Amino acid sequence: MLEAVGLAAVRGDRRLFTGLAFSLAAGELLYVHGPNGSGKTTLLRMLCGLVLPEAGEVRWEGHSIRKLGEDYRRELLYLGHAAALKDELTALENLRVASALQGRPVSERQALEALDALGLEDCADLPVQVLSQGQKRRVALARLYLTPVRIWILDEPFTALDKKAVAGLEQTLANHLRGGGLVVLTTHQEVMLTAAVAKTIAMGSWGD
Amino acid sequence: MWAALRSMVMRDLTLAVRRVADVLTTLFFFVIVVSLFPLGVGPEMETLRVIAPGVVWVAAILASMLALGRLFGNDYSDGTLEQILLAPQPLSLLVAAKVLAHWLVTGLPLVLMAPLLGLQFGLEGEALWTLWWTLLLGTPAISLIGAVGAALTLGLRGGSVLVSLLVLPLYIPVLIFGAGAVEAQVSGLGATAHLSLLGAIAVLALCFAPLAAAAALRISLD
């Protein structure tokens, strides 16, 4: 169970949110929405432990994620705004390096299968810099197939994807939730997310 | 964990091979700066022999400053640094792996090139060897200390200037013992003391710099 207790964030001298709290159990989805600059990304990065909350704390299975440290990060996959891919490496190399860093090295075959699942089999050996925006996004998303972790934190995962890829991702998210995973995501697109429990946080616009 | 560290080093080496211009800039900068001195100072062998260690060392330090921005800069802008911070491995070890790869592509070529450049200054035999040893022991310390500065100034405007102001004073001990060793060897005192101190600085830097750089990275990405 992922819990947030009284979270507050300040960026510069602007208060983004205060007293934000929620809890997310296995199989539940949290959908964060709000206008640009309302602190969605800050909240997501805070849930990963990249940003320290101004007040409050994030808990995983009842323990503060600050204390859990590596044990928490082992359960976590975060895909941020940037695709986190190296332009000079091929799609395949990128995936294998990312998985090894996550502490779960994968074979070339496994990585190829993940790329296949996203329709990228022809791009596997191309350097990422020649891929289109949507293809890059799909290479980044291929990690969802490779790392069997419980918490997925996804910042705008649907950006730049075509219809077919959006449907595929919706299906992947639904499978993950059915298997007892947790998903936190932000998106501006209208997507059909089928989760047993879907929670929503509406972030205020700036100035509120 | 070893798999993660190895893949980190291999990744950075692969990137360096595919972006070989970056590596060569550092090396050429070093070669050219060192070669300018004999031209500027004149062909007086005695003078050249005296200034040689200092010139080579200052050039090596400046060349390494040139490469420092790339240590974390590229990973920061494409988002891979966030993933490194989120990896379930001790961040200081991952930082150490990155610094190792960085030294292999920016420091080691300077070390290998230095004896050749020393010849331009009329250094011979033992003096040349001593210079080589000081660089071999000193450049890893330079990379490690530089990593702390690079991590602290990550994402700041004018970060490259700030990092020079921050890091160059910290290089002074390395410079003093590095350049001093050759002089001591030539004058017959023996360079053992200088080399031991350089080694000690390198070991200290290896113990503490990755921890400090890791903490600085966490602050920079907050």
Side-chain angles (χ1 to χ4, degrees):
Chain A
M1 173 129 96
L2 185 67
E3 273 177 295
V5 189
L7 289 183
V10 175
R11 270 290 177 251
D13 50 5
R14 206 152 62 76
R15 192 164 289 277
L16 286 173
F17 50 80
T18 48
L20 191 149
F22 67 83
S23 73
L24 203 63
E28 293 184 346
L29 172 121
L30 178 68
Y31 172 43
V32 183
H33 66 91
N36 297 132
S38 57
K40 300 190 293 291
T41 297
T42 306
L43 174 62
L44 261 52
R45 296 183 79 229
M46 203 175 266
L47 294 179
C48 298
L50 285 171
V51 175
L52 285 185
E54 195 70 19
E57 66 175 1
V58 181
R59 292 186 197 143
W60 170 244
E61 312 283 24
H63 304 283
S64 159
I65 62 165
R66 297 259 303 151
K67 293 224 176 66
L68 289 172
E70 283 154 32
D71 291 331
Y72 175 66
R73 296 204 289 276
R74 200 165 286 125
E75 306 270 359
L76 174 85
L77 181 65
Y78 169 68
L79 297 182
H81 258 299
L85 301 170
K86 287 312 239 184
D87 276 347
E88 289 84 356
L89 298 183
T90 66
L92 195 64
E93 289 167 333
N94 264 304
L95 273 187
R96 295 194 65 191
V97 167
S99 306
L101 264 183
Q102 189 69 35
R104 301 167 195 269
V106 293
S107 69
E108 192 169 317
R109 207 171 52 81
Q110 286 170 301
L112 275 174
E113 277 167 13
L115 288 171
D116 273 355
L118 285 149
L120 288 165
E121 55 277 9
D122 301 331
C123 310
D125 289 320
L126 293 178
V128 165
Q129 60 192 348
V130 303
L131 300 184
S132 76
Q133 211 56 35
Q135 284 172 321
K136 280 183 194 173
R137 176 56 61 174
R138 277 190 279 162
V139 174
L141 288 171
R143 290 187 57 203
L144 297 179
Y145 294 82
L146 282 175
T147 18
V149 297
R150 292 180 61 196
I151 314 166
W152 288 0
I153 297 185
L154 312 173
D155 198 350
E156 301 281 354
F158 294 98
T159 311
L161 292 183
D162 56 26
K163 270 203 181 114
K164 195 164 150 243
V166 168
L169 180 55
E170 284 169 4
Q171 191 57 46
T172 312
L173 291 175
N175 288 343
H176 180 62
L177 291 166
R178 215 170 300 131
L182 291 76
V183 176
V184 180
L185 67 86
T186 66
T187 176
H188 284 296
Q189 260 126 325
E190 292 293 325
V191 285
M192 300 294 294
L193 290 169
T194 46
V197 186
K199 296 181 173 175
T200 306
I201 289 185
M203 311 287 277
S205 60
W206 55 278
D208 284 9
Chain B
M1 186 177 77
W2 290 113
L5 296 180
R6 200 177 58 230
S7 87
M8 186 85 249
V9 174
M10 288 313 292
R11 183 199 83 150
D12 281 6
L13 292 181
T14 314
L15 285 172
V17 170
R18 302 212 178 141
R19 228 187 279 168
V20 79
D22 283 355
V23 179
L24 290 181
T25 345
T26 317
L27 185 59
F28 278 128
F29 178 84
F30 176 64
V31 171
I32 288 174
V33 168
V34 173
S35 309
L36 283 179
F37 276 85
L39 300 176
V41 175
E44 191 65 54
M45 249 344 174
E46 272 317 302
T47 327
L48 286 180
R49 213 168 281 154
V50 173
I51 62 167
V55 167
V56 172
W57 258 100
V58 170
I61 283 175
L62 293 180
S64 81
M65 293 295 316
L66 209 60
L68 213 50
R70 287 199 303 273
L71 178 52
F72 300 116
N74 292 334
D75 285 355
Y76 177 70
S77 50
D78 63 21
T80 40
L81 194 59
E82 272 182 348
Q83 296 295 332
I84 292 173
L85 258 69
L86 288 175
Q89 269 79 24
L91 181 57
S92 52
L93 291 183
L94 290 174
V95 168
K98 271 192 81 66
V99 175
L100 171 65
H102 183 77
W103 178 75
L104 286 175
V105 295
T106 62
L108 192 59
L110 306 191
V111 176
L112 297 178
M113 192 57 101
L116 213 58
L117 296 172
L119 287 176
Q120 292 188 74
F121 290 83
L123 287 185
E124 279 161 351
E126 280 193 337
L128 213 51
W129 267 110
T130 314
L131 180 66
W132 190 80
W133 271 108
T134 60
L135 283 169
L136 189 64
L137 288 171
T139 46
I142 298 269
S143 293
L144 284 161
I145 296 169
V148 182
L152 274 175
T153 55
L154 201 60
L156 296 184
R157 247 179 303 132
S160 56
V161 182
L162 193 59
V163 78
S164 321
L165 295 177
L166 212 63
V167 162
L168 283 177
L170 297 176
Y171 287 163
I172 290 173
V174 184
L175 175 65
I176 290 174
F177 293 117
V182 183
E183 205 177 316
Q185 182 69 32
V186 173
S187 66
L189 286 171
T192 326
H194 288 80
L195 288 177
S196 313
L197 277 167
L198 266 185
I201 293 173
V203 170
L204 269 180
L206 185 62
C207 294
F208 294 110
L211 291 171
L217 282 180
R218 290 210 186 279
I219 295 168
S220 289
L221 263 80
D222 190 335

